[in-house]
Amino acid sequence: MFRPQLPPERLREVVRTADAAGLEELWLWEDCFLESGIATAAAALAWSERLRVGVGLLPVPLRNVALTSMEAATLHRLFPGRVALGVGHGVQAWMGQVGARVESPLTLLREHLTAMRALLAGERVTVDGRYVKLDGVALDWPPATAPSVLAGATGPRSLRLTGEAADGTILDAAVPPDGVRKARGLIDEGRTAAGRTGRHEIVVYLHTATGPGAEGRLGAELERSGGASTPGLGVAGDAGTVAKAVQRLVEAGAHTVVLQPTADEPDPEGFVRFVAEEVRPLVPRLP
């Protein structure tokens, strides 16, 4: 993960390092008031040849669904097979700070997901929802194949919603392996209720630190994020130790594990090489 606590001008070197090292995926955030997810994703995709770039996540209260879908469609057409976009509630305090907080974030996310998936599938959409209102809107340049739309979630109702209305779920770094199992159960409840079948990608972030002072940096990160008292959260150590932590999340139901460096990671490019060259070979590939 390229954390937006780094200035945007650092992204190019991290991307080039990731591409050269053979890293499979690089993930980005759109946190207020740091960096745009779409702008950074477009740059990362353009600066790389094979890297899959994920954005987790775009806060829907900030975004008209037509605009989000236009941006998503453009990226998917320019870089087919290399884009993963997630949407979500956003941090409610931040949404209030910019005058975008809504009374029912769950309703907004459901309406946004339904409309966005339809638009990206090339449909003409008319809807008069509580928050999403479209009158005969269709994308002139939809992707050649309807892409997956992921959604971030934490609470039970939101997790069930991602099973119902999204193609995958993003879980943040506050979720240990036991939490992934519980989340997977709630997601499956939503999928069953909606009659959804097929693959539903589970993306999980993992607090990760390596090198000198790793345990101290991880501990400070967990304190800042409020996760210091959660058993099994985060990992600090060498490649073998990190790979075992990744595998525990995979066994709990994750398909993609994104290693999230600490905000004060002293060598972001070195962290990317560590993940690609030392950790990845120790983790079996999912079928």
Side-chain angles (χ1 to χ4, degrees):
M1 179 181 292
F2 177 87
R3 293 187 55 155
Q5 284 81 8
L6 292 171
E9 56 269 25
R10 291 292 303 274
L11 178 62
R12 184 197 298 259
E13 192 56 37
V14 170
V15 167
R16 289 180 170 173
T17 299
D19 216 36
L23 191 70
E24 291 164 302
E25 301 186 9
L26 182 70
W27 282 73
L28 310 165
W29 291 350
E30 183 168 84
D31 267 5
C32 297
F33 299 96
L34 296 167
E35 293 161 14
S36 158
I38 295 297
T40 50
L45 289 159
W47 287 329
S48 59
E49 295 294 330
R50 43 159 300 284
L51 196 63
R52 185 184 187 224
V53 176
V55 180
L57 45 75
L58 304 170
V60 297
L62 283 176
R63 296 177 157 273
N64 182 283
V65 69
L67 177 61
T68 307
S69 301
M70 288 164 57
E71 291 177 324
T74 300
L75 288 180
H76 281 290
R77 288 186 69 108
L78 287 172
F79 307 100
R82 295 179 53 205
V83 182
L85 296 181
V87 298
H89 300 307
V91 176
Q92 295 306 296
W94 290 338
M95 298 303 100
Q97 197 173 353
V98 298
R101 188 166 185 166
V102 298
E103 185 176 341
S104 177
L106 199 70
T107 300
L108 170 57
L109 183 58
R110 182 188 299 277
E111 292 180 356
H112 194 106
L113 282 168
T114 301
M116 184 174 176
R117 292 179 65 240
L119 288 168
L120 290 175
E123 299 177 20
R124 183 171 298 277
V125 180
T126 296
V127 61
D128 185 18
R130 182 173 178 181
Y131 299 110
V132 173
K133 301 179 185 296
L134 299 173
D135 182 8
V137 175
L139 300 178
D140 286 326
W141 298 105
T145 303
S148 295
V149 178
L150 310 181
T154 53
R157 292 195 300 163
S158 293
L159 287 164
R160 290 190 189 94
L161 173 60
T162 66
E164 291 179 35
D167 303 304
T169 302
I170 301 171
L171 303 175
D172 67 20
V175 183
D178 284 348
V180 174
R181 290 187 183 89
K182 293 175 183 176
R184 187 61 189 263
L186 292 164
I187 293 164
D188 287 343
E189 287 179 16
R191 283 166 54 77
T192 299
R196 300 286 301 274
T197 59
R199 189 173 187 268
H200 184 99
E201 183 178 7
I202 307 293
V203 179
V204 184
Y205 297 163
L206 175 63
H207 288 294
T208 307
T210 191
E215 290 188 7
R217 285 188 287 110
L218 177 63
E221 182 83 6
L222 293 177
E223 284 287 348
R224 285 192 296 268
S225 64
S229 62
T230 303
L233 200 61
V235 60
D238 61 11
T241 302
V242 174
K244 288 177 182 176
V246 170
Q247 191 60 33
R248 286 193 290 271
L249 290 170
V250 172
E251 291 167 357
H255 299 99
T256 297
V257 179
V258 181
L259 301 190
Q260 177 176 308
T262 61
D264 58 353
E265 165 59 48
D267 182 7
E269 293 82 8
F271 183 85
V272 164
R273 286 189 289 267
F274 165 74
V275 173
E277 298 170 1
E278 299 184 44
V279 178
R280 188 63 187 90
L282 300 179
V283 180
R285 296 178 185 273
L286 290 175

